[in-house]
């Protein structure tokens, strides 16, 4: 299992054991992480699984594709480290990653 910590806008933290091979969104939903709504079910069509990835792990993720970039461009709170958690596949390299959940999703 891969340990990932989600930090809510109010500072509350939740560390989960994430399963490799599943998306960050799937793992967050399975563990009940608040603020990861995933209204489209992980189809990269809604932006409700937006997260901020800790800088130390950005280079360990695959690059954003055009669809993810387009969905993130509609987010008023997009930052350089923004990703849609449905597009982030959990791998062993992400062990210890910290993810912030935007206030906008709470």
């Amino acid at each position: 299992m891969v340990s990932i910590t989600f930090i809510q806008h109010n500072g509350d933290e939740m560390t989960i054991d994430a399963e490799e091979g599943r998306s960050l969104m799937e793992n967050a939903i399975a563990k009940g992480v608040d603020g990861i709504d995933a209204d489209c079910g992980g189809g990269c069509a809604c932006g409700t699984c937006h997260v901020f990835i800790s800088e130390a792990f950005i280079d360990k993720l695959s690059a954003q594709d055009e669809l993810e970039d387009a969905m993130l461009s509609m987010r008023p709170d997009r930052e350089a480290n923004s990703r849609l958690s449905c597009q982030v596949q959990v791998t062993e390299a992400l062990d210890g990653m910290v993810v912030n959940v935007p206030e906008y999703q709470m």
Side-chain angles (χ1 to χ4, degrees):
M1 292 288 181
V2 177
S3 178
I4 297 176
T5 300
F6 289 83
I7 302 176
Q8 302 297 323
H9 188 265
N10 66 2
D12 289 348
E13 294 185 17
M14 181 178 186
T15 300
I16 66 168
D17 287 327
E19 185 180 327
E20 289 183 66
R22 296 180 76 192
S23 72
L24 184 58
M25 178 216 73
E26 291 171 318
N27 278 288
I29 289 173
K31 301 293 183 171
V33 176
D34 288 336
I36 306 297
D37 296 330
D39 291 341
C40 72
C44 196
C46 70
T48 61
C49 66
H50 177 219
V51 294
F52 302 112
I53 304 293
S54 58
E55 295 296 327
F57 287 88
I58 289 290
D59 292 339
K60 297 180 182 188
L61 304 179
S62 60
Q64 290 179 11
D65 64 18
E66 290 180 26
L67 182 57
E68 182 182 6
D69 184 52
M71 290 306 305
L72 284 168
S73 72
M74 293 188 280
R75 295 289 309 203
D77 52 355
R78 183 180 188 172
E79 298 289 338
N81 62 335
S82 288
R83 292 299 301 261
L84 295 180
S85 60
C86 67
Q87 300 302 297
V88 175
Q89 292 301 308
V90 173
T91 65
E92 187 177 316
L94 302 184
D95 191 41
M97 183 171 68
V98 175
V99 176
N100 288 283
V101 179
E103 178 181 18
Y104 185 75
Q105 286 174 200
M106 298 308 294

